[in-house]
């Protein structure tokens, strides 16, 4: 069922705002590889993410193309790109249960939804958490649910927006191992945006610097 | 349609040339300056006081039982029509009023009411008190709806961990984020307070009255040529309202500048106790006053003759209710059907506009201001134009036309109650939903709408109350064919029978009260198991 | 004030002369059958002030009657102010809707009538062709033909007659004043216990008009259009009186009640002990409503009180004119008038001339129990006619300038 992993190709991308070039990138990300983009605040990291995910404000002009394997993505709306997102905050929908959050991510025609969710939660040590209110979970637990929600949605590439910056130090290392391990296992091309050297080191992939 | 007659043009009354006679007549009016100043200052002062009370209370609010009780008591006040609050307050504080009756002759020694100018005082203090009573619940409700998405408890916890007293923490960390969200409602309050008619008629000064009341008097003058001056007055009223808004805006800028230093001066504890006490005391006073006003109305609705200084009516009777009730079924049904239609249509239009803007990253446009025009131009002035317009294209008076007219007032209120909450909803919610593969419609129905359920329901309840309160649009565009509980109530109020007015005011408050209660209850029930959705502590 | 009577006679004489004019334009009574036929099945929208439950109840009684008798459906459009209906007609005229207006009939007072007539907003003449119209004895009753001295010209049919009366609380006032001078004296001794509605309210205007008439040696002048040069001398006594009175009024004249209803509330709250009304039965009605104590009684000034009639008018563009005429005619019937005069129903004065009625019809009126606080017609004293509107407008304007700051 899981699609064959593909290469994410950012071809000659250039984003400008009122004629000023903000950033330009030309990169491949192989399946299971994590490309780390580093740079201080204001260097255009979030603009890059918005472009890749399909949320770029019309105020910006973007050139170049985005491919996943042979499929061109930059002309598709966000929901058809198959690019998953993890933010600093877990962003668990507060009005849905833990299971409801996971279910929201599952593609429509998925079979055995409940079992898949149970299995996914077991995998990250949250067995039996299905009916819980996300607000009652600890920060680490929320982060894990967010990760499983992302994976259950069967993305073909993943964007990480400083996903560990709000966790405390002990938890941070644990989550890095978990996230990168899971992504690698799923063979997903991943782009990590961070300003933490330790994130980059844990990702183990190529690094480019912005700004 | 307001402008033309103001400059002498209204062919049906023989005005077919443009000139400034109406303006000259207007300027020559005795007491015009006082009228203008009254309208201007009562609008600004009451808004300031009401905002002050609300902010102080929210800062003091610790989510204790007392705080929750006070807050719950305030919301029903929103449902009481302005005129009813005014009647109730007038009867409470008048020299022959409820307070004087309770204290006389025991405490005061009064056998007859003292000849004191309390209601209708020349400075408009009674009017301002009445306005504050109505503005506080509105601003409180708007603030609570907005707070739900600011996570105030997190901010306060953080600041407290830095050694700030809770109320100071709230003022320094939550209020600066809250204010932009309730700005439009605050502007609406200013516009309303500068141009209010019904409350000013009952509580306001009379020699001269506020500008808005003068305008109504001129429009209602049997001498139809007065309508030119009335139209000029309406344009002037618009100017006064705009001036008040501008003043407020300048004040905002100044406060923003001056408060920068206070926000970061590190003072953590000073004034905290005073705020905690003051916030609760003030809001409790407002609640108590309004409740007593309401109690006075309820008492009057079953009162026989009630001689001063008796503390209670001499006899009680259900006559008044029995006389009114048989004839209110049709008006109640009309009121409800028009209110619900207008609210649903407005909700659809506003949400569609906001969703469109959100999807296409459109900034708030300047055109918005057009939307608010109906709130700041005196109704009586431009409704005439609307009737002419509807008649010109051959639309007969009917339900649908009344709904359309109500939309003019309902849409802006719904928009201003909802737009900030909508716009400021963290865009990442929808982005996460889309990146999980959900199409936009699913992200809208399953994520955005549920997250905005509380503000949406609140906005709808406000809209319903606004629609229910409309008198002139219902009467003029309905051609008298669509009686509502409000047209009945206003017509009856013109007869001044306090007992029947009390009955109708209570009936008139019933539907909005149900609306507001549902707006508060539904999210509570739906999100009973979702802690973060239950809003501010 | 003996001269009042003379002036009234002058008015009557003028009225009789003027009566001859409109007659030619009125439709024949023989048309009445066709009007009745046309009216059947029509829905008449009657725009009428609705501030009194008693009036509203009476109007619904009328609706039942005209439905049963003539098959006319009558809808009471409840107004807070008559000008709202005027606005509607005005807007329709502006928009060119000359045929299908939404207002079929208006309960109208003199000032609104003058304005609507002057602006061509009324249908007619029709009123003098109504079968019941002769019962008002128009030949001998100028008040039927002149509304605030403006010729009616068949553009409205009389409905109700009213006269200003004072009412006072016998528990608080021993001897009521009998004229304006005594009123001033009484107010000086009892400061804060009298007031009147703020001018230009209808009743407020009536009070200062009454004072103007009472305090002038000759009132003839006031029944003709005002000449600017006469104003100061003719009204000097009035301003002298008001200047003296105001400091002794309720709230020292720094605030005024806005209308007769407010005034009645003040009376009910014991804030004041003397008030006035445009309806002889208001006090009785308010006692029955629990609004006033049962110690309240009415009185009039020795020289008579001003009064007037209110009328039914049909807008020029009314869609259901035939139905409106049938209703207006029924409103003038002895039966409807007697019902209206009963204080238990409403208690509003009839416009019918008793001499014109059959003995049975007259009995309907004789049997009415007027209530404790209502003066019987014989004690109402002389009815002073309303001065020309230009005078009322002018003193109302001057009042504003003088007392509003």
């Amino acid at each position: 069922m899981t699609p064959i992993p593909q290469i994410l190709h950012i071809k000659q991308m250039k984003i400008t705002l009122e004629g000023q070039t903000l950033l330009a990138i030309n990169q491949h990300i192989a399946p299971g590889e994590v490309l780390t983009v580093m740079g201080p605040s204001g260097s255009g990291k979030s603009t890059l993410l918005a472009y890749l995910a399909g949320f770029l404000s019309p105020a910006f002009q973007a050139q170049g193309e985005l491919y996943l394997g042979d499929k061109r993505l930059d002309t598709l709306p966000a929901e058809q790109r198959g690019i998953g997102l993890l933010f600093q905050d877990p962003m668990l929908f507060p009005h849905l249960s833990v299971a409801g959050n996971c279910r929201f991510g599952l593609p429509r025609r998925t079979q055995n939804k409940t079992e898949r969710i149970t299995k996914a939660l077991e995998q990250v040590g949250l067995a039996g958490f299905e009916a819980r209110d996300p607000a009652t979970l600890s920060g680490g637990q929320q982060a894990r649910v967010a990760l499983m929600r992302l994976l259950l949605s069967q993305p073909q590439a993943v964007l990480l927006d400083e996903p560990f910056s709000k966790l405390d130090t002990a938890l941070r290392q644990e989550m890095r191992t978990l996230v990168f391990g899971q992504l690698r296992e799923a063979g997903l091309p991943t782009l990590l945006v961070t300003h933490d050297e330790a994130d980059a080191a844990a990702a183990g992939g190529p690094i480019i610097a912005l700004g | 349609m307001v402008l033309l007659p103001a400059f002498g043009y209204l062919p049906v009354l023989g005005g077919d040339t443009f000139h400034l006679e109406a303006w000259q007549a207007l300027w020559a009016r005795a007491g015009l300056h006082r009228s203008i100043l009254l309208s201007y200052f009562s609008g600004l002062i009451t808004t300031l006081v009401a905002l002050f009370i609300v902010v102080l209370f929210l800062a003091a609010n610790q989510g204790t039982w007392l705080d929750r009780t006070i807050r719950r008591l305030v919301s029903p006040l929103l449902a009481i029509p302005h005129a009813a609050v005014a009647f109730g307050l007038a009867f409470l504080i008048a020299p022959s009023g409820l307070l004087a009756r309770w204290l006389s002759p025991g405490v005061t020694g009064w056998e007859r009411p003292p000849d004191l100018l309390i209601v209708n005082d020349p400075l408009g203090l009674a009017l301002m008190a009445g306005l504050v009573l109505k503005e506080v619940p509105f601003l409180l409700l708007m603030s609570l709806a907005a707070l739900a998405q600011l996570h105030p408890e997190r901010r306060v916890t953080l600041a407290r961990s830095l050694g700030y007293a809770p109320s100071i923490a709230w003022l320094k960390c939550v209020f600066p984020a809250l204010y932009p969200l309730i700005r439009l409602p605050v502007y609406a309050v200013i516009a309303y307070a500068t141009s209010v008619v019904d409350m000013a008629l009952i509580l306001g000064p009379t020699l001269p009255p506020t500008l808005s009341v003068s305008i109504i008097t001129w429009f209602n003058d049997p001498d139809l040529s007065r309508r030119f001056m009335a139209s000029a007055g309406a344009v002037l009223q618009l100017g006064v309202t705009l001036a008040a808004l501008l003043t407020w805006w300048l004040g905002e800028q100044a406060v923003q500048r001056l408060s920068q230093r206070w926000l970061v001066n590190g003072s953590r504890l000073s004034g905290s106790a005073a705020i905690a006490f003051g916030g609760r005391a003030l809001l409790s006073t407002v609640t108590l006053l309004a409740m007593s006003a309401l109690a006075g109305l309820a008492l009057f609705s079953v009162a026989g003759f009630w001689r001063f200084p008796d503390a209670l009516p001499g006899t009680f009777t259900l006559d008044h209710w029995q006389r009114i009730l048989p004839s209110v079924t049709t008006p109640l049904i009309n009121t409800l059907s028009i209110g619900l239609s207008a609210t649903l249509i407005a909700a659809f239009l506003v949400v569609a506009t906001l969703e469109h803007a959100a999807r296409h990253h459109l900034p708030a446009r300047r055109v918005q201001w057009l939307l608010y025009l109906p709130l700041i131009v005196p109704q009586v002035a431009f409704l005439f134009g609307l009737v002419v317009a509807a008649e010109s294209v051959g639309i007969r008076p009917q339900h649908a036309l009344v709904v359309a007219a109500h939309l003019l007032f309902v849409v802006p209120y719904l928009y201003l109650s909802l737009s900030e909450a909508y716009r400021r909803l963290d865009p990442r919610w929808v982005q996460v939903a889309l990146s999980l593969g959900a199409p936009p419609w699913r992200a809208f129905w399953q994520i955005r709408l549920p997250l905005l359920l509380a503000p949406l329901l609140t906005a709808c309840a406000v809209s319903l109350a606004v629609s229910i309160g409309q008198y002139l649009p219902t009467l003029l565009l309905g051609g008298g064919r669509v009686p509502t509980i409000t047209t009945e109530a206003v017509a009856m109020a013109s007869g001044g029978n306090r007992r029947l007015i009390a009955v109708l005011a209570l009936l008139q408050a019933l539907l909005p009260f149900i609306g507001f209660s549902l707006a508060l209850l539904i999210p509570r029930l739906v999100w009973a198991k979702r802690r973060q959705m239950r809003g501010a502590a | 004030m003996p001269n009042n009577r003379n002036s009234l006679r002058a008015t009557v004489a003028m009225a009789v002369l003027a009566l001859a004019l409109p007659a030619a334009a009125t439709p024949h009574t023989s048309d009445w059958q066709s009007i009745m036929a046309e009216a059947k099945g029509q829905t008449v929208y009657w725009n009428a002030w609705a501030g009194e439950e008693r009036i509203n109840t009476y109007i619904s009684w009328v609706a039942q009657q005209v439905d049963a008798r003539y098959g006319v459906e009558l809808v009471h459009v409840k107004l807070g102010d008559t000008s709202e209906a005027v606005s509607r007609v005005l807007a329709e005229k502006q928009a060119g809707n000359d045929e299908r207006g939404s207002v079929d009939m208006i309960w109208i007072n003199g000032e609104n009538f003058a304005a609507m007539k002057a602006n061509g907003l009324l249908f007619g003449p029709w009123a003098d062709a109504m079968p019941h119209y002769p019962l008002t004895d128009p030949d001998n009753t100028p008040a039927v033909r002149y509304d605030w001295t403006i010729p009616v010209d068949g553009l409205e049919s009389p409905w109700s007659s009213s006269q200003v009366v004072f009412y006072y609380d016998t528990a608080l006032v021993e001897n009521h004043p009998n004229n304006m001078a005594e009123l001033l004296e009484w107010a000086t001794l009892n400061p804060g216990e009298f007031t009147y509605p703020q001018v230009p309210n209808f009743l407020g205007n009536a009070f200062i008009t009454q004072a103007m008439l009472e305090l002038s040696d000759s009132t003839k002048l006031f029944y003709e259009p005002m000449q600017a040069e006469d104003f100061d001398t003719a009204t000097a006594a009035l301003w002298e009186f008001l200047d003296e009175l105001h400091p002794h009024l309720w709230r020292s004249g720094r605030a005024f009640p806005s209308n007769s209803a407010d005034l009645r509330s003040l009376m009910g709250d014991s804030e004041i002990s003397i008030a006035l009304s445009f309806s002889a039965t208001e006090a009785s009605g308010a006692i029955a409503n629990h609004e006033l104590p049962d110690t309240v009684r009415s009185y009039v000034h020795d020289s008579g009180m001003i009064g007037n009639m209110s009328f039914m008018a049909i807008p020029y563009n009314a869609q259901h004119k035939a139905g409106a005429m049938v209703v207006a005619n029924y409103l003038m019937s002895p039966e409807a008038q007697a019902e209206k005069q009963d204080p238990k129903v409403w208690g509003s004065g009839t416009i019918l001339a008793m001499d014109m009625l059959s003995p049975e019809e007259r009995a309907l009126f004789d049997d009415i129990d007027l209530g404790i606080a209502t003066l019987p017609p014989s004690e109402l004293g002389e009815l002073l006619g309303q001065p020309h509107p230009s005078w009322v407008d002018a003193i109302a304007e001057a009042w504003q300038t003088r007392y509003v700051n």
Side-chain angles (χ1 to χ4, degrees):
Chain A
M1 281 297 287
T2 320
I4 305 149
Q6 306 270 5
I7 293 178
L8 186 70
H9 194 174
I10 309 169
K11 271 189 187 167
Q12 308 292 345
M13 185 212 70
K14 190 168 123 184
I15 298 177
T16 53
L17 178 65
E18 290 163 357
Q20 293 240 302
T21 303
L22 290 178
L23 66 156
I25 287 182
N26 190 27
Q27 284 282 344
H28 292 276
I29 311 174
E33 184 184 55
V34 180
L35 170 68
T36 304
V37 176
M38 297 206 51
S41 305
S43 58
K45 286 179 300 186
S46 18
T47 314
L48 171 63
L49 288 182
Y51 167 76
L52 297 175
F55 306 124
L56 196 62
S57 156
F60 296 93
Q61 290 85 44
Q63 294 165 18
E65 291 158 7
L66 179 65
Y67 281 92
L68 187 78
D70 299 332
K71 188 174 154 198
R72 183 162 177 186
L73 295 187
D74 56 299
T75 51
L76 293 176
E79 71 275 12
Q80 289 171 26
R81 293 189 182 193
I83 297 183
L85 268 171
L86 271 191
F87 289 107
Q88 291 173 331
D89 302 298
M91 303 299 290
L92 295 183
F93 301 128
H95 59 297
L96 300 176
S97 65
V98 167
N101 267 279
C102 295
R103 194 178 283 264
F104 188 89
L106 277 173
R108 281 232 126 167
R109 290 197 193 86
T110 316
Q111 310 230 312
N112 312 323
K113 284 185 176 173
T114 316
E115 284 159 40
R116 293 185 66 127
I117 292 167
T118 312
K119 233 175 92 190
L121 290 175
E122 273 169 15
Q123 244 180 307
V124 289
L126 294 174
F129 272 58
E130 282 89 340
R132 290 281 291 272
D133 176 1
T136 63
L137 268 55
S138 74
Q141 290 170 329
Q142 292 193 16
R144 276 179 277 166
V145 176
L147 173 66
M148 292 329 282
R149 179 179 66 179
L150 171 79
L151 292 174
L152 284 170
S153 78
Q154 297 176 9
Q156 287 166 291
V158 169
L159 305 175
L160 304 175
D161 187 359
E162 308 202 20
F164 315 116
S165 61
K166 284 200 176 168
L167 300 171
D168 57 55
T169 328
L171 202 54
R172 199 174 290 172
Q173 197 46 48
E174 186 193 323
M175 280 306 295
R176 280 186 192 124
T177 317
L178 179 67
V179 171
F180 292 131
Q182 293 279 345
L183 292 176
R184 212 163 284 136
E185 196 178 310
L188 297 172
T190 302
L191 186 136
L192 167 70
V193 158
T194 185
H195 55 254
D196 186 344
E197 303 275 356
D199 284 352
I207 300 177
I208 55 171
L210 291 179
Chain B
M1 269 305 175
V2 185
L3 279 175
L4 293 182
F7 293 97
Y9 189 81
L10 185 61
V12 71
L13 288 179
D16 41 18
T17 51
F18 288 89
H19 51 73
L20 292 174
E21 270 168 34
W23 288 93
Q24 286 151 4
L26 181 66
W27 287 121
R29 293 300 301 183
L32 182 76
H33 293 88
R34 258 191 95 91
S35 293
I36 294 174
L37 290 177
L38 273 170
S39 292
Y40 175 83
F41 281 112
S42 59
L44 283 178
I45 293 173
T46 56
T47 311
L48 196 62
V49 172
L51 186 65
F52 180 74
I53 293 175
V54 168
V55 167
L56 228 50
F57 172 75
L58 288 172
N61 181 10
Q62 300 299 315
T64 61
W65 174 85
L66 178 72
D67 294 334
R68 279 201 310 272
T69 311
I70 299 174
R71 215 181 68 197
R72 264 177 221 160
L73 282 174
V74 173
S75 341
L77 298 182
L78 261 181
I80 314 172
H82 280 85
V85 171
F87 271 117
L89 182 69
F91 179 61
L92 192 66
I93 61 175
S96 57
L98 212 50
L99 291 177
R101 285 177 201 232
W102 286 341
L103 299 176
S104 300
V107 181
T108 59
W110 295 334
E111 293 291 340
R112 292 284 302 273
D115 192 10
L116 300 173
L117 189 52
I118 298 178
V119 178
N120 309 122
D121 61 293
L123 288 177
L125 296 177
L127 169 62
M128 291 190 210
L131 282 168
V132 168
L133 286 191
K134 276 303 285 179
E135 289 164 1
V136 164
F138 178 68
L139 288 178
L140 186 66
L141 185 76
M142 288 292 132
S143 304
L144 289 173
L147 275 177
Q149 49 180 305
L150 287 179
H151 307 299
E153 66 285 357
R154 271 193 228 162
R155 293 168 190 250
V156 170
T157 312
L158 184 74
R160 286 181 75 173
S161 71
L162 296 173
Y164 283 87
S167 48
I168 302 289
W170 194 93
L171 284 181
K172 291 195 175 187
C173 300
V174 182
F175 182 63
L178 172 67
Y179 184 72
L181 270 68
I182 57 165
R183 206 167 158 194
L184 284 178
V186 167
Y187 287 0
V189 165
I190 297 173
Y192 187 88
T194 46
S195 59
V196 62
V197 174
D198 45 6
M199 284 197 127
L201 266 172
I202 299 160
L203 294 170
T206 55
L207 293 175
T210 62
L211 183 59
S212 51
V213 172
S214 304
I215 293 168
I216 283 280
T217 318
W218 301 332
F219 266 110
N220 287 353
D221 200 295
D223 180 357
L224 295 177
S225 62
R226 280 277 158 81
R227 283 168 190 246
F228 292 107
M229 183 171 80
S231 300
V235 177
L236 179 64
Q237 171 73 63
L238 180 62
V240 171
T241 301
L242 289 178
L245 286 171
L246 183 69
T247 313
W248 186 272
W249 183 79
L250 289 172
E252 266 175 17
Q253 306 299 316
V255 168
Q256 206 178 14
R257 291 263 164 78
L258 295 174
S259 64
Q260 287 309 326
R261 286 192 44 191
W262 177 77
L263 285 176
V264 295
N265 71 357
S267 136
R268 282 158 163 77
L269 295 167
S270 65
S272 169
I275 292 171
F277 174 76
R280 287 179 189 141
L282 283 171
L283 196 71
S284 310
T285 312
V286 166
T287 313
L288 208 65
L289 264 180
M291 285 290 168
S292 318
L294 196 61
L297 281 184
L299 210 50
F300 253 115
S301 77
V302 292
F305 184 66
W306 188 355
R307 187 180 276 282
F308 188 89
D310 300 346
L312 286 174
T315 52
F316 288 92
T317 169
L318 285 175
D319 275 8
H320 319 308
W321 285 93
Q322 280 164 353
R323 273 196 273 160
I324 297 287
L325 282 182
S327 58
V328 293
T329 322
T330 314
L332 271 178
I333 292 171
N334 280 341
T335 310
L336 197 62
S337 69
I338 291 169
L340 286 179
S341 324
T343 303
L344 286 177
I345 295 172
F348 175 78
L349 290 175
V350 168
V351 169
T353 310
L354 289 169
E355 180 65 17
H356 178 79
R359 283 190 195 174
H360 297 91
H361 305 271
L362 301 176
R365 292 220 206 103
R366 305 230 163 258
V367 186
Q368 265 190 35
W369 287 103
L370 265 183
L371 196 64
Y372 295 122
L373 263 186
L375 303 192
I376 54 179
V377 181
Q379 274 195 357
V380 62
F382 80 93
L383 282 174
F384 180 79
L386 271 188
V387 178
V388 173
E391 285 289 329
S392 303
V393 292
I395 304 174
R396 307 291 297 150
Q398 52 186 296
H399 258 79
L401 191 60
V402 174
V403 172
H406 280 208
L407 278 176
L408 280 176
F409 304 95
V410 169
V411 167
Y413 268 105
L414 209 142
Y415 189 84
L416 70 86
S417 325
L418 188 61
S419 67
E420 282 308 312
Y422 210 99
R423 215 172 274 141
R424 290 181 190 248
L425 181 75
D426 193 332
R428 292 180 302 168
W429 289 121
V430 171
Q431 293 179 356
V432 166
L434 293 177
S435 74
L436 289 172
W441 60 266
R442 210 174 139 219
F444 171 75
W445 284 107
Q446 296 187 4
I447 303 300
R448 202 196 292 272
L449 271 197
L451 288 177
L452 289 171
L453 182 69
L456 182 65
L457 287 176
T458 305
C460 284
V462 169
S463 303
L464 187 68
V466 167
S467 163
I468 291 170
Q470 298 301 321
Y471 171 66
L472 275 182
T474 314
L475 184 75
L476 285 181
L477 285 142
R481 279 139 178 78
V482 192
T484 65
I485 194 74
T486 298
T487 60
E488 299 279 310
V490 175
M492 183 52 69
S494 68
N497 183 333
R498 216 186 262 152
R499 290 157 180 82
L500 296 180
I501 290 172
V503 172
L504 276 164
L506 293 173
L507 281 173
Q508 206 192 349
L510 182 70
L511 292 177
F513 177 72
I514 295 173
F516 283 112
S517 307
L518 286 179
L520 284 177
L521 267 178
I522 290 176
R524 228 171 259 263
L525 290 178
V526 173
W527 309 134
K529 292 186 177 164
R530 298 286 172 260
R531 209 170 64 185
Q532 219 194 314
M533 295 301 294
R534 269 173 282 159
Chain C
M1 309 277 153
N3 284 320
N4 273 332
R5 203 154 294 164
N6 291 338
S7 72
L8 202 62
R9 281 211 195 103
T11 321
V12 173
M14 275 164 41
V16 173
L17 283 176
L19 183 69
L21 295 174
T26 54
H28 282 286
T29 19
S30 58
D31 294 344
W32 187 243
Q33 288 311 320
S34 60
I35 289 175
M36 296 257 284
E38 198 186 330
K40 198 167 176 136
Q42 284 190 343
T43 301
V44 174
Y45 291 90
W46 179 7
N47 288 238
W49 181 76
E52 290 260 12
E53 186 54 23
R54 290 179 294 165
I55 302 179
N56 300 347
T57 309
Y58 174 69
I59 291 177
S60 30
W61 176 84
V62 172
Q64 286 166 10
Q65 300 299 316
V66 294
D67 188 23
R69 282 157 203 262
Y70 312 109
V72 172
E73 195 193 342
L74 180 64
V75 178
H76 179 190
V77 175
K78 296 180 176 173
L79 302 181
D81 194 297
T82 309
S83 67
E84 291 150 4
V86 180
S87 282
R88 176 83 216 178
V89 177
L90 205 57
E92 286 169 355
K93 186 172 188 193
Q94 177 72 69
N97 175 359
D98 295 334
E99 301 286 327
R100 300 192 306 152
S102 58
V103 179
D104 291 320
M105 189 164 88
I106 310 182
W107 176 21
I108 200 171
N109 64 31
E111 288 172 295
N112 280 307
F113 171 70
M116 288 190 86
K117 187 183 177 194
N119 285 284
L121 297 175
L122 293 176
F123 164 71
W126 57 273
D128 14 16
M130 297 297 101
H132 288 136
Y133 182 74
L135 299 181
T136 63
D137 194 10
D139 294 341
N140 298 307
T141 319
V144 173
R145 302 190 318 274
Y146 290 88
D147 192 357
W148 286 59
T149 74
I150 306 288
V152 168
D153 292 347
L155 298 177
E156 51 177 7
S157 71
W159 186 36
S160 234
S161 103
S162 50
Q163 185 176 357
V164 175
V165 294
F166 288 93
Y167 55 94
Y168 71 116
D169 191 342
T170 51
L172 303 170
V173 179
E174 235 166 277
N175 295 309
H176 62 74
N178 289 307
N179 53 51
M180 287 294 171
E182 287 183 28
L183 179 65
L184 176 58
E185 200 179 310
W186 181 88
T188 316
L189 293 172
N190 302 279
E193 296 197 21
F194 172 73
T195 187
Y196 60 93
Q198 180 164 349
V199 173
N201 167 274
F202 194 55
L203 187 60
N205 284 353
F207 177 76
I208 59 172
T209 308
Q210 171 81 23
M212 176 176 79
L213 294 179
E214 265 191 53
L215 297 166
S216 303
D217 297 332
S218 161
T219 58
K220 194 176 158 199
L221 193 63
F222 300 129
Y223 292 90
E224 286 155 19
M226 189 196 78
Q227 306 300 319
E229 63 269 19
D230 297 337
F231 184 77
D232 287 342
T233 38
T235 60
L238 172 68
W239 305 122
E240 193 188 328
F241 167 74
L242 290 178
D243 286 349
E244 269 188 73
L245 178 68
H246 277 197
H248 308 298
L249 289 182
W250 176 78
R251 306 287 182 260
S252 311
R254 289 192 297 145
F256 287 83
S258 51
N259 51 39
S260 66
D262 271 4
L263 192 67
R264 197 171 64 224
S265 292
L266 292 179
M267 193 77 176
D269 292 336
S270 311
E271 294 223 3
I272 56 174
S273 359
I274 295 183
L276 66 160
S277 160
F278 229 114
S279 158
T281 53
E282 171 156 344
S284 291
I287 292 171
N289 270 340
H290 314 284
E291 286 183 88
L292 290 180
D294 54 13
T295 45
V296 167
R297 296 291 180 273
S298 304
Y299 71 90
V300 292
H301 282 178
D302 295 340
S303 56
M305 302 292 290
I306 55 169
N308 68 357
M309 280 190 187
S310 59
F311 292 78
M312 288 301 139
I314 301 177
Y316 83 103
N317 65 346
Q319 196 175 357
H320 311 110
K321 295 189 180 86
M325 282 190 265
V326 167
V327 174
N329 182 54
Y330 178 70
L331 289 174
M332 286 189 284
S333 70
E335 183 194 43
Q337 286 283 320
E339 176 82 5
K340 181 164 69 70
Q341 188 154 14
D342 187 343
K344 284 196 283 299
V345 178
W346 174 5
S348 156
T350 181
I351 42 88
L352 298 181
M354 290 299 132
D355 303 346
M356 307 297 281
L357 305 183
S358 68
E360 297 80 44
E361 288 168 341
R362 221 172 302 149
L364 291 174
F365 292 88
D366 294 340
D367 294 347
I368 296 172
D369 173 12
L370 286 175
I372 48 171
T374 311
L375 295 172
S378 56
E379 287 176 34
L380 276 176
E382 190 187 357
L383 182 84
L384 305 182
Q386 286 278 4
H388 193 272
S390 57
W391 279 99
V392 181
D393 284 349
I395 56 173
E397 257 325 288
W399 191 96
Q400 295 286 335
T401 324
R402 210 171 173 94
Y403 301 116
V404 177
N405 41 50

